[in-house]
């Protein structure tokens, strides 16, 4: 078995793992990223698109904001339409002084890989059978197979950034973890098309279910519709998708949607999940490894970024000053923001979707709440404060 040594072993080369490696490097802390998939696979995954301003600032501060500032679309907030005619705007700039940024997760991941490559960072991809050892000791180890040979990485800390299906969370003994979970009885069918998007990101609550018009750049649009959990992509040729998307929006908005051939189409189930605590011994979880939110509200990637902000600060204080307080408090601090976003995403999902068991009472309550949000300045401010993202704690 071949052996290497580092300070922080980072499991997972998605946005959380790559950003952590970048921030640790800026603090003079060595790390190795171990990723299960090939780099091509990681870069092909199409996911998030909307950044909170706090995330924009963390990315800038991490030295990976240049392309985002050139190509990202800064906007004032998001529209919501319902009942085929009513509309409101979650104008976060007006309500809480913070705009939003449309910039794809694919681009962020690419920017991070470029930054890591430029400094010759250690990233091991296509690693198989990744296993964590000695997490409750001060010298944990990670073993994995690479090109058929067993490898061992000795380290001082392990950062579990390996997403919902990773090994890190499962390496915390079952009796130490508490899991909170909610599954929703529908999914999102999403497409990407090389067509100009609408000016605004707009969510729709319609009789036929939720729909969303989003964007990546001036010639790249992202659209979603609520679908059944057992929906099959083969049943959704582009024509059917566009037709269904358009009937869920008021006529004037549908008329502005430019359709075209899709370049990607996928279905994602919706789930809320939080695992507590987010640390165990020398293992610290960040991002989807510890929590999942439904995409309504666009919080998942933003939470991965705030976890990494807290974790990189905690490790920097430990290595710089021998101060363990932030590491000790990491789980509690991160979880306060996680639960804020988990609650908000759950609330917005309930407000905007059609559920199979909804009664006429439930539908009138949804309508009432949207109407109230449209006319109450104080309610609007509270919602915008959460949509724009709660501030990071000192
Ligand atoms: P990721 O991106 O899943 O990366 C984890 C990485 O770990 C690797 N891995 C392993 N590596 C080594 N050993 C193992 N045993 C491993 N197991 C897994 C994986 O291959 C992968 O590369 O998690 P991370 O870094 O925490 O990032 C989280 C975000 O990807 C996620 O929260 C967002 O994409 C969620 N999300 C959105 N978030 C937003 O903030 N704004 C949005 O607009 C938004 N839209 C979305 C979304 C997620 C969606 N889907 C598909 C669920 C829209 C959709 C449709
Ligand atoms: C996206 O652009 O992919 C997106 C936008 C808003 C959401 C979720 C996803 O709430």
């Amino acid at each position: 078995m071949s052996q290497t040594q580092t300070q922080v072993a980072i499991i997972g080369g998605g946005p959380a793992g790559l950003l952590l490696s970048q921030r640790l490097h800026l603090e003079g802390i060595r790390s190795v990223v171990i990723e299960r998939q090939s780099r091509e696979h990681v870069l092909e995954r199409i996911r998030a698109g909307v950044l909170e301003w706090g995330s924009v600032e963390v990315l800038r501060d991490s030295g990976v904001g240049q392309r985002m500032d050139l190509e990202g679309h800064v906007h004032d907030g998001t529209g919501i339409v319902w009942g085929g005619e009513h509309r409101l705007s979650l104008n976060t700039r007006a309500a809480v002084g913070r705009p939003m940024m449309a910039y794809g997760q694919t681009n962020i991941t690419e920017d991070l890989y470029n930054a890591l490559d430029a400094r010759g960072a250690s990233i091991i991809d296509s690693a198989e059978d990744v296993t964590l050892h000695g997490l409750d000791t001060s010298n944990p180890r990670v073993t994995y197979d690479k090109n058929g040979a067993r490898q061992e990485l000795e380290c001082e800390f392990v950062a579990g950034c390996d997403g919902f299906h990773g090994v890190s969370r499962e390496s915390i003994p079952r009796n130490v973890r508490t899991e909170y979970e909610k599954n929703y009885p529908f999914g999102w069918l999403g497409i990407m098309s090389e067509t100009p998007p609408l000016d605004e990101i707009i969510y729709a609550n319609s009789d036929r279910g939720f729909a969303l018009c989003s964007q990546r750049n001036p010639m790249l649009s992202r659209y979603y519709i609520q679908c059944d959990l057992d929906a099959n992509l083969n049943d959704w040729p582009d024509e059917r998708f566009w037709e269904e998307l358009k009937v869920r929006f008021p006529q004037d908005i549908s008329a502005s949607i430019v359709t075209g051939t899709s370049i990607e189409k996928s279905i994602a189930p919706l789930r809320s999940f939080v695992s507590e605590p987010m640390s165990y011994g020398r293992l610290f979880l960040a991002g989807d490894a510890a929590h999942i939110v439904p995409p309504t509200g666009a919080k998942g990637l933003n939470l991965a970024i705030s976890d990494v902000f807290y974790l990189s600060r905690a490790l920097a204080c430990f290595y710089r000053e021998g101060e363990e307080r932030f590491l000790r408090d990491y789980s509690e601090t991160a979880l306060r923001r996680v639960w804020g976003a988990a609650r908000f995403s759950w609330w917005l999902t309930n407000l905007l979707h059609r559920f199979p068991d909804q009664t006429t009472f439930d539908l009138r309550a949804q309508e009432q709440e949207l109407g109230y949000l449209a006319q109450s300045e104080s309610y609007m401010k509270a919602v915008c404060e959460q949509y724009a993202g709660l501030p990071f704690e000192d």
Side-chain angles (χ1 to χ4, degrees), residues 125-285:
D125 73 350
S126 307
E128 291 173 60
D129 193 19
V130 177
T131 313
L132 316 186
H133 310 268
L135 296 170
D136 52 358
T137 71
S138 53
N139 47 354
R141 291 173 301 117
V142 180
T143 53
Y144 57 95
D145 285 342
K146 176 74 186 177
N147 299 329
R150 199 72 184 149
Q151 311 283 332
E152 183 176 66
L153 177 64
E154 291 179 353
C155 57
E156 288 157 2
F157 293 95
V158 179
C161 303
D162 47 352
F164 184 66
H165 299 289
V167 288
S168 299
R169 184 181 67 253
E170 299 291 331
S171 306
I172 301 179
R174 196 63 196 86
N175 62 342
V176 177
R177 273 185 285 141
T178 308
E179 296 183 346
Y180 301 86
E181 185 164 18
K182 189 173 230 355
N183 290 301
Y184 300 86
F186 41 73
W188 278 19
L189 168 59
I191 70 163
M192 190 75 101
S193 73
E194 286 172 323
T195 49
L198 298 182
D199 291 338
E200 214 190 347
I201 294 175
I202 310 179
Y203 294 109
N205 170 325
S206 92
D207 292 350
R208 299 180 63 93
F210 171 86
L212 164 59
C213 296
S214 186
Q215 52 188 255
R216 289 294 179 272
N217 66 43
M219 263 314 284
L220 197 56
S221 303
R222 182 78 166 146
Y223 297 99
Y224 298 96
I225 55 175
Q226 175 183 345
C227 63
D228 290 339
L229 272 179
D230 60 0
N232 185 330
L233 284 179
N234 294 327
D235 297 331
W236 285 95
D238 290 355
E239 304 69 43
R240 182 176 175 207
F241 181 90
W242 291 120
E243 204 177 302
E244 188 59 42
L245 177 77
K246 286 183 166 210
V247 294
R248 297 185 187 195
F249 282 93
Q251 226 283 317
D252 61 313
I253 295 176
S254 316
S256 333
I257 295 174
V258 182
T259 62
T261 309
S262 67
I263 56 168
E264 193 263 359
K265 197 180 279 163
S266 54
I267 294 175
L270 269 66
R271 172 188 287 133
S272 297
F273 173 87
V274 181
S275 178
E276 296 184 4
M278 284 174 60
S279 62
Y280 170 72
R282 288 280 177 122
L283 169 70
F284 293 84
L285 303 179

Side-chain angles (χ1 to χ4, degrees), residues 306-357:
S306 61
D307 288 351
V308 167
F309 169 84
Y310 289 132
L311 183 53
S312 54
R313 179 178 68 182
L315 288 165
C317 284
F318 175 81
Y319 280 110
R320 213 188 306 126
E321 294 142 31
E323 168 65 85
E324 291 192 31
R325 178 168 63 92
F326 287 114
L327 280 174
R328 212 176 38 239
D329 293 348
Y330 167 72
S331 173
E332 231 176 273
T333 312
L335 279 168
R336 275 194 287 276
R337 208 166 185 285
V338 166
W339 274 110
R343 193 214 67 81
F344 181 72
S345 309
W346 161 81
W347 169 79
L348 196 59
T349 301
N350 280 299
L351 184 65
L352 297 181
H353 289 76
R354 284 288 178 277
F355 288 70
D357 58 354

Side-chain angles (χ1 to χ4, degrees), residues 12 15-16 35-37 45 47-49 105 162 288 298 300-302:
E35 164 61 47
R36 180 167 62 182
Q37 304 285 356
R45 287 192 302 232
R47 289 182 170 178
Q105 178 167 331
D162 47 352
D288 281 15
L301 174 62
N302 289 294

Side-chain angles (χ1 to χ4, degrees), residues 34 116 263 295:
I34 301 175
L116 267 62
I263 56 168

